[in-house]
Amino acid sequence: MISTQFDYASPTSIKELHQLLCNEVEKAILSGGYSLVALLKAEKLSPQLLISTSNIDSFNGIKASPDGTLSIGSATSLSEIAEHDLIRERYPAIIEAVSLIGDRQFCNQTAIGDEYSYQSFSMGLAAVLLAYGASFNYSNQTAQKRLKEPLMPQQEFILETIELPSPLGLSSFQEVKDPASYLPICGISSSLEVVNNIVTAARFAVCGQGLTVQRLTKSENAVIGNLVSQELPKSVLNEYFNTINHNSKASNEYLAHLSTVLINKSIGESIKG
Amino acid sequence: MGTPILGSAIKRKEDRALLKGTAQFMADIKLPKMVHMVFLDSPYAHAIINSIDLSEALAVEGVLDIIVGEDIKQYNPLPVLMNPAGKDGRFPPHPWGFPAGQTILAVGKVRHVGETVAAVAATTLEAAQIAVKKIKVAYEVLPHVLDARSAMKAGAPIVHDTIPDNICQYVSWGNKQKTQEAIDNAEVVVKKHLPYQLVSASPVETRSTIADYDPTTEDYTLWTNTQIPHINRAALCGLVLGIPFNKLRVIVPEVGGSYGCKGYIYNDTGIALVMARRLGRPVKWVDTREGIYRRTVHARGSDVDATIAGDKKGKITALHCKNYATLGAYSTFNGPGAPAALTGMSVTGAYAIDNPFYEVNISYTNRQMVGPMRGAGRTEGLYVIERLIDLYAAEIGMDPVEVRRINFIKNDQFPYENGLGFTYDSGNYELALDQALKKAKLSDFDKKREDAASRGKLLGYGVTSYVAVTGVGPSPYMHNVIGLNGGTYGTAHLRIHQSGDAQLHIGSQPHGQGHVTVFSQIVSEELGINTDKVEIIHSDTKGNLPIGGSYGSRSYQIEGGAIVVACQKIKAKAIKMAAFLLAGEEDEIVHESGNYSLASDPSKSVTLQEISNALHNAWDLPSGMEPGLETIAYWDPKDFAFPFGSHIAFVEVDKQTGIINLIDYIAVDDFGKVCNPGIVDGQTHGNIYAGVGQALMENITFNENGEIENSSSLAYGSPRPSNLPMFTIARTETITPNSPHGGKGAGDVAINGVPPAIVSAVCNAIGVSHIDMPLTPEKVWKAMQAKP
């Protein structure tokens, strides 16, 4: 049954939010709502209580620290993120990923936390944040967690902020969309440090329909020390996709090929960019 | 003489309500005391129902009633009215028995995932949704079979105990022996397996039904978004539920797209009527988006082993096609029609082939039912011949366009019997091809291909030509050859009011095509009445003449033909009356734009309004003339019409990913005399859109349990405007002798050129001979990798 009636709460403090999250009834975070509505319609959620995080100050906005770290509140809209000067200047792959998620109205309505509340991990933003080395700050009534990868939803911990360290230097996001679903068959985010045309540090993250967003550490290791113009061999990703479990409709062979193409393209674009 | 209204792109009369948001669709209808109905579907492809426990579901607050198979055993199964195999078909239509008929609720057994097991009625939708999940069904799961070839194998699971080999019927057209001899003697023989994948029509509006029953008068009213309200009425009354014919009224509100999938007799209509009678209250069911895939008829899914034979100079001498088709778990009312007749008789396309032969085994499988949708049957057949011509051309090293020209039916060969049962009316196939090629500017192609290569893209183009039958009737042919148990003529009931305004009652069923505009234009053209003064009454069996409905591009040709005949009858009476009023002779009367004058003295004239006024007052009429100005016309065509065209698709394939970008699409079609070019342009765009979906992405797939894997809009892709170029469309005009206005059908015609054009273009781009649809990026990439 599709839930059409529920209570609504809009706490103004984290403490109040945590108290609501301890409520025994089935609940869901309203953080923009796009993913929530999709899950309601699919009858995967039937909350009795909807909790909005949009009125908690610390969940909103983008703050820069003197050490160069950028903190993004989980209720910050994708539009606000895409229009932020520092993000545009330092994290261009975020802009690319947001532009591929949805149209203007979607980005106005959807908060970055929404992407992490409801498993929209096929989208590129999650991969981009991993490639930028983001930290995810969660809390519940008794504890706080600072993680390098987002938690799966429904774990009683609420995402408060996402912290972005200073970028390595070059970055890009590239994806191949499924022409039918328009979700990425495969997306690659790259973040590189290049000194004298040699790759000195690299972070790659993959996303896609049926794939879990994750870092591609073997590929990262394979390019470090190489000339930046040297293409990544396909064999690295062939091996990777043959060892992971996924629900993608694409074959391992095609995923490995696309990932390789996209990593090389991503590096190429980031050099250009 | 003013500008002819027939052939003018006047604005659609229907659009005001749609644009203002005042049009009423099924979901908008609310009736006093209305209750909501939800269905419990089978989760299994094939299972025995051992027991159903309703106790918990009935206890849910708001639940009024639940019915299951045991409650409807007294009713007949849904009828099958089209039986091309005649007496050899294993589902003789009513009243001769129905060994594989679909009951409105599953009785004892389910035969596909999504089959309706129970119906819950409750005061709120939420209560019905809660209750349906509390129904406990004990199933005994049986082995199932999902595809036609497997269903025919020895030892396959049996879908119906009454059909021990799962084969509903075998149908063939042409001469098998002669064809085989021609193949044996040919210089060149090309064989190819050509599947045509299963798709969904995917209209924006899901299906829906509301039923009401008045216990005082025993009248039933059914609202449903169907293309065939009159067939629904006749079938549900006489063949299924036993309701007296005059006690069921069927009303169709605005329909949010159909493309064929609402052209059936669905079980939900029967269930809603039964439930409404049990409750004495209106019952409403609106399907979900998922239901479009689970509870609505699928289309296509042919699976053809094809052989083409010819000489080395490009002359085709024989064509042999063996098709394996499935109806799904049951037959829709016209299920065998598409694979048997429409595909079978269409496979020669636009070509004069001396020895054609087509045969099909149509089987039952444990899947949702399969039936006609836009381009029904013809797209499957024309895909086969168009792909074969490309393959044959490659085999003999000839330009496929040249092969088409060599084998085209020539202008002086019409009427042309195609050897499979069709007689083509008229055509000029070379002209359409020439115009398409001119627009394609292929002289620049090599340069464009180089430009594309510099961007990492592979440019290709594909050319197709097609001929598609339209205009269902003629009734004798439909019955005697295709086995339709019913007439397919057109009807029109035309009344000219005393004011001179016209009121036209039609039985055709608009579902987005623009019938009101087009039929107003016909009346205006014939009688000189402004289109604003023509009222079209439709979408209600009460007061309208019963006809088959709207499907297969028949409405303009057949109903439009009946309207022309009705107008001619009105004119004949108006001329008699004009002669009387002007004190002249009938043969002296000249009619122009609603004005009737004496040829010898044009200053003496009367308008149609004046004539109608005199006829309605009836103060002074010619001897024996009845008052009023009104007529009913029935018109049955002497044969079908055969629109045609040539299409050219241009694609760019990304070398690295296999992603296809359709960069240009040229369609030159011929629909005979077109009534409203704006509407036909729209129909052509819609056809191309649907064909692109078939070629590139649409494909209903099942998992090993027989569940549909992609029953949502997210998983079942269709083209988006942003994927498509602005189409280049144009028309030639070759009138048909088989309609009074010279027009042929257009609604589901242009699609026939699209899938083979795109497949051909992609193959041309990447340099392979063939790829099966849908052309997914991975499939195309793999084809590129497999190249030597």
Side-chain angles (χ1 to χ4, degrees):
Chain A
M1 181 188 135
I2 300 172
S3 292
T4 54
Q5 291 188 331
F6 17 70
D7 291 326
Y8 171 77
S10 183
T12 53
S13 69
I14 295 176
K15 187 179 175 188
E16 193 185 345
L17 170 66
H18 287 150
Q19 283 170 348
L20 286 162
L21 288 171
C22 290
N23 200 319
E24 288 298 311
V25 301
E26 188 175 349
K27 52 206 167 285
I29 298 294
L30 181 61
S31 181
Y34 180 84
S35 305
L36 175 67
V37 170
L39 289 170
L40 291 176
K41 289 176 86 168
E43 299 186 42
K44 290 181 178 170
L45 285 179
S46 49
Q48 293 165 271
L49 174 63
L50 282 188
I51 305 169
S52 168
T53 58
S54 60
N55 286 322
I56 301 171
D57 282 346
S58 61
F59 279 48
N60 282 282
I62 300 164
K63 296 177 186 75
S65 301
D67 66 355
T69 305
L70 213 58
S71 174
I72 304 173
S74 64
T76 309
S77 75
L78 297 182
S79 291
E80 191 178 342
I81 290 166
E83 287 162 7
H84 195 274
D85 288 342
L86 268 179
I87 291 179
R88 296 187 76 83
E89 182 188 325
R90 293 163 58 185
Y91 305 96
I94 291 180
I95 308 299
E96 289 166 35
V98 167
S99 72
L100 293 166
I101 288 177
D103 60 18
R104 180 78 192 188
Q105 191 171 355
F106 176 89
C107 291
N108 289 341
Q109 292 293 323
T110 301
I112 191 167
D114 190 60
E115 291 293 298
Y116 295 97
S117 301
Y118 303 111
Q119 296 186 19
S120 297
F121 289 150
S122 60
M123 299 300 189
L125 196 51
V128 168
L129 294 175
L130 283 193
Y132 277 128
S135 299
F136 300 85
N137 296 319
Y138 289 87
S139 66
N140 68 7
Q141 204 162 20
T142 58
Q144 290 194 323
K145 286 185 180 185
R146 181 180 167 83
L147 302 170
K148 295 306 285 180
E149 289 188 356
L151 285 172
M152 296 300 283
Q154 318 301 316
Q155 294 193 17
E156 299 302 330
F157 276 86
I158 185 84
L159 178 65
E160 289 188 21
T161 57
I162 298 167
E163 280 181 22
L164 285 167
S166 294
L168 291 177
L170 304 178
S171 61
S172 175
F173 175 71
Q174 301 291 324
E175 70 172 18
V176 172
K177 277 187 192 297
D178 175 35
S181 69
Y182 252 42
L183 292 171
I185 301 171
C186 183
I188 292 285
S189 186
S190 69
S191 188
L192 296 173
E193 184 182 70
V194 178
V195 179
N196 295 330
N197 284 330
I198 303 291
V199 179
T200 53
R203 291 197 206 102
F204 299 132
V206 65
C207 65
Q209 203 173 5
L211 297 173
T212 302
V213 176
Q214 53 192 288
R215 290 268 295 273
L216 298 169
T217 49
K218 281 191 177 172
S219 302
E220 293 167 0
N221 294 333
V223 300
I224 291 172
N226 290 351
L227 277 171
V228 69
S229 55
Q230 187 177 335
E231 293 204 336
L232 178 73
K234 197 167 154 183
S235 55
V236 177
L237 283 151
N238 266 335
E239 186 187 334
Y240 168 77
F241 280 104
N242 283 332
T243 54
I244 64 161
N245 290 322
H246 62 80
N247 295 318
S248 173
K249 285 186 183 168
S251 68
N252 287 347
E253 185 191 5
Y254 188 52
L255 286 171
H257 168 74
L258 284 185
S259 301
T260 308
V261 166
L262 291 175
I263 284 180
N264 291 326
K265 192 173 174 187
S266 183
I267 293 172
E269 290 296 318
S270 62
I271 295 169
K272 273 196 238 166
Chain B
M1 188 86 180
T3 307
I5 189 73
L6 206 69
S8 299
I10 66 168
K11 287 185 179 171
R12 287 176 20 127
K13 294 170 79 170
E14 294 90 337
D15 288 344
R16 181 179 290 265
L18 294 168
L19 292 171
K20 289 179 75 177
T22 55
Q24 288 282 301
F25 293 86
M26 282 298 299
D28 299 318
I29 297 174
K30 293 187 174 110
L31 300 173
K33 296 178 69 181
M34 189 163 75
V35 304
H36 298 268
M37 186 163 69
V38 172
F39 296 142
L40 176 69
D41 293 343
S42 167
Y44 299 110
H46 198 193
I48 293 168
I49 300 171
N50 281 329
S51 65
I52 303 177
D53 180 356
L54 303 177
S55 53
E56 281 189 37
L58 284 166
V60 173
E61 187 177 347
V63 170
L64 301 173
D65 198 3
I66 302 176
I67 55 175
V68 297
E70 289 299 312
D71 300 309
I72 54 87
K73 282 172 81 173
Q74 67 271 37
Y75 302 119
N76 284 334
L78 298 173
V80 178
L81 302 176
M82 187 179 279
N83 184 6
K87 62 182 173 52
D88 296 327
R90 292 186 181 169
F91 55 94
H94 295 311
W96 305 304
F98 24 79
Q102 182 199 9
T103 50
I104 58 175
L105 285 157
V107 179
K109 203 176 187 188
V110 287
R111 294 181 175 84
H112 70 90
V113 171
E115 182 164 1
T116 319
V117 174
V120 177
T123 51
T124 65
L125 181 61
E126 290 75 18
Q129 287 172 334
I130 290 168
V132 88
K133 290 190 173 170
K134 293 183 181 289
I135 297 173
K136 294 191 175 97
V137 185
Y139 292 102
E140 180 182 334
V141 179
L142 300 171
H144 60 265
V145 61
L146 295 174
D147 69 279
R149 288 187 198 240
S150 300
M152 288 173 58
K153 288 180 181 162
I158 301 303
V159 181
H160 295 275
D161 295 340
T162 47
I163 314 285
D165 55 6
N166 289 326
I167 297 176
C168 165
Q169 58 184 251
Y170 167 85
V171 176
S172 69
W173 311 102
N175 186 316
K176 189 171 189 174
Q177 188 182 338
K178 270 186 70 190
T179 300
Q180 191 55 54
E181 285 170 7
I183 291 170
D184 292 343
N185 294 326
E187 290 180 331
V188 180
V189 176
V190 177
K191 294 174 183 283
K192 190 70 186 171
H193 171 227
L194 291 165
Y196 200 93
Q197 82 275 17
L198 196 70
V199 298
S200 162
S202 297
V204 171
E205 183 202 29
T206 61
R207 290 193 308 102
S208 176
T209 291
I210 298 171
D212 195 12
Y213 175 70
D214 183 338
T216 309
T217 62
E218 298 184 335
D219 285 330
Y220 292 86
T221 307
L222 183 74
W223 291 260
T224 189
N225 44 10
T226 181
Q227 295 170 225
I228 51 167
H230 295 278
I231 292 178
N232 265 274
R233 180 192 185 192
L236 290 167
C237 285
L239 302 177
V240 182
L241 301 176
I243 299 170
F245 189 70
N246 280 334
K247 290 293 179 186
L248 176 59
R249 175 184 182 185
V250 181
I251 299 170
V252 183
E254 200 73 52
V255 179
S258 177
Y259 318 111
C261 77
K262 293 172 183 167
Y264 300 97
I265 306 157
Y266 278 106
N267 66 329
D268 48 84
T269 52
I271 297 170
L273 288 165
V274 170
M275 189 68 92
R277 180 175 176 130
R278 284 166 69 109
L279 295 174
R281 295 174 67 168
V283 174
K284 182 176 190 175
W285 171 75
V286 180
D287 206 357
T288 60
R289 192 69 218 163
E290 189 185 14
I292 283 284
Y293 307 96
R294 282 170 66 94
R295 283 182 287 270
T296 296
V297 168
H298 298 161
R300 323 288 195 222
S302 68
D303 188 7
V304 176
D305 289 327
T307 304
I308 192 167
D311 62 25
K312 290 178 180 173
K313 293 178 181 171
K315 177 61 186 167
I316 301 166
T317 53
L319 171 69
H320 182 291
C321 299
K322 182 164 189 172
N323 190 5
Y324 299 84
T326 180
L327 299 168
Y330 307 96
S331 176
T332 63
F333 88 101
N334 57 355
L342 287 169
T343 301
M345 294 176 171
S346 299
V347 291
T348 51
Y351 313 104
I353 300 174
D354 288 340
N355 299 289
F357 178 73
Y358 173 90
E359 59 186 337
V360 60
N361 275 301
I362 304 173
S363 62
Y364 292 105
T365 52
N366 294 110
R367 296 190 340 202
Q368 169 58 275
M369 288 175 286
V370 181
M373 80 169 236
R374 198 173 207 172
R378 293 153 288 175
T379 58
E380 296 95 308
L382 292 161
Y383 176 76
V384 169
I385 185 64
E386 289 303 301
R387 291 307 304 136
L388 286 177
I389 285 190
D390 278 9
L391 295 168
Y392 168 60
E395 186 71 22
I396 59 174
M398 187 179 273
D399 179 352
V401 169
E402 192 53 31
V403 174
R404 286 178 170 83
R405 285 190 196 281
I406 289 169
N407 292 283
F408 270 156
I409 299 159
K410 305 296 184 292
N411 294 0
D412 60 2
Q413 290 181 277
F414 294 100
Y416 177 82
E417 291 182 19
N418 78 343
L420 297 171
F422 278 152
T423 303
Y424 296 177
D425 54 344
S426 60
N428 189 343
Y429 304 159
E430 291 248 18
L431 179 63
L433 178 60
D434 287 341
Q435 291 205 4
L437 289 168
K438 190 175 173 189
K439 288 180 184 300
K441 296 177 183 162
L442 290 173
S443 55
D444 296 342
F445 180 74
D446 288 344
K447 184 177 178 309
K448 288 177 182 168
R449 186 171 245 180
E450 282 175 23
D451 291 345
S454 70
R455 291 181 281 110
K457 309 291 182 189
L458 300 168
L459 179 68
Y461 74 94
V463 180
T464 56
S465 297
Y466 73 87
V467 177
V469 63
T470 64
V472 182
S475 301
Y477 187 99
M478 290 300 295
H479 177 70
N480 298 331
V481 180
I482 302 180
L484 179 67
N485 193 7
T488 46
Y489 46 82
T491 60
H493 180 181
L494 181 59
R495 175 182 298 141
I496 309 301
H497 294 299
Q498 193 161 1
S499 64
D501 293 5
Q503 185 181 61
L504 176 67
H505 291 255
I506 55 168
S508 70
Q509 182 53 56
H511 44 279
Q513 309 97 315
H515 286 185
V516 168
T517 305
V518 167
F519 294 160
S520 296
Q521 284 182 263
I522 294 174
V523 173
S524 180
E525 174 78 14
E526 291 292 322
L527 298 179
I529 301 170
N530 191 299
T531 53
D532 292 341
K533 292 182 178 296
V534 183
E535 179 187 20
I536 311 289
I537 310 290
H538 59 87
S539 300
D540 190 341
T541 59
K542 191 168 189 176
N544 283 312
L545 296 166
I547 65 146
S550 295
Y551 49 85
S553 299
R554 60 162 273 148
S555 296
Y556 172 53
Q557 189 182 336
I558 306 301
E559 257 55 61
I563 293 165
V564 171
V565 174
C567 289
Q568 288 168 348
K569 290 168 81 172
I570 291 287
K571 265 193 283 190
K573 185 170 181 180
I575 286 169
K576 282 185 198 292
M577 190 64 190
F580 179 74
L581 293 171
L582 299 173
E585 296 298 324
E586 278 180 50
D587 57 6
E588 279 189 285
I589 300 296
V590 176
H591 167 243
E592 189 178 322
S593 301
N595 204 50
Y596 295 75
S597 59
L598 281 178
S600 57
D601 183 0
S603 67
K604 290 186 175 175
S605 67
V606 286
T607 63
L608 183 65
Q609 182 185 354
E610 290 166 331
I611 293 168
S612 185
N613 185 48
L615 282 164
H616 280 279
N617 283 333
W619 294 329
D620 188 13
L621 300 179
S623 175
M625 182 176 280
E626 291 178 349
L629 190 52
E630 181 169 0
T631 189
I632 291 174
Y634 292 82
W635 184 73
D636 207 359
K638 68 176 182 183
D639 209 336
F640 302 102
F642 291 82
F644 58 91
S646 282
H647 290 192
I648 303 178
F650 285 89
V651 299
E652 280 186 355
V653 179
D654 186 89
K655 256 184 189 173
Q656 289 192 311
T657 63
I659 285 182
I660 296 164
N661 186 18
L662 180 66
I663 58 169
D664 198 2
Y665 197 90
I666 295 160
V668 177
D669 302 290
D670 192 317
F671 308 121
K673 176 70 183 172
V674 162
C675 177
N676 186 313
I679 286 175
V680 172
D681 286 354
Q683 291 275 27
T684 304
H685 278 248
N687 271 265
I688 298 171
Y689 176 96
V692 172
Q694 179 90 41
L696 297 184
M697 58 190 75
E698 296 189 40
N699 185 18
I700 291 176
T701 58
F702 299 86
N703 66 16
E704 60 188 13
N705 298 321
E707 295 158 346
I708 299 166
E709 293 178 309
N710 46 357
S711 57
S712 75
S713 298
L714 201 57
Y716 183 88
S718 53
R720 301 174 186 221
S722 55
N723 293 344
L724 300 173
M726 180 56 76
F727 307 136
T728 304
I729 61 172
R731 284 186 286 276
T732 57
E733 182 179 296
T734 311
I735 63 165
T736 176
N738 294 336
S739 72
H741 45 55
K744 306 181 179 188
D748 73 338
V749 173
I751 187 174
N752 294 292
V754 186
I758 291 175
V759 173
S760 180
V762 171
C763 292
N764 177 256
I766 68 173
V768 301
S769 61
H770 179 75
I771 312 173
D772 285 335
M773 299 185 295
L775 305 178
T776 61
E778 177 167 356
K779 211 186 274 185
V780 174
W781 176 75
K782 283 186 170 168
M784 289 192 283
Q785 302 308 303
K787 272 179 63 183

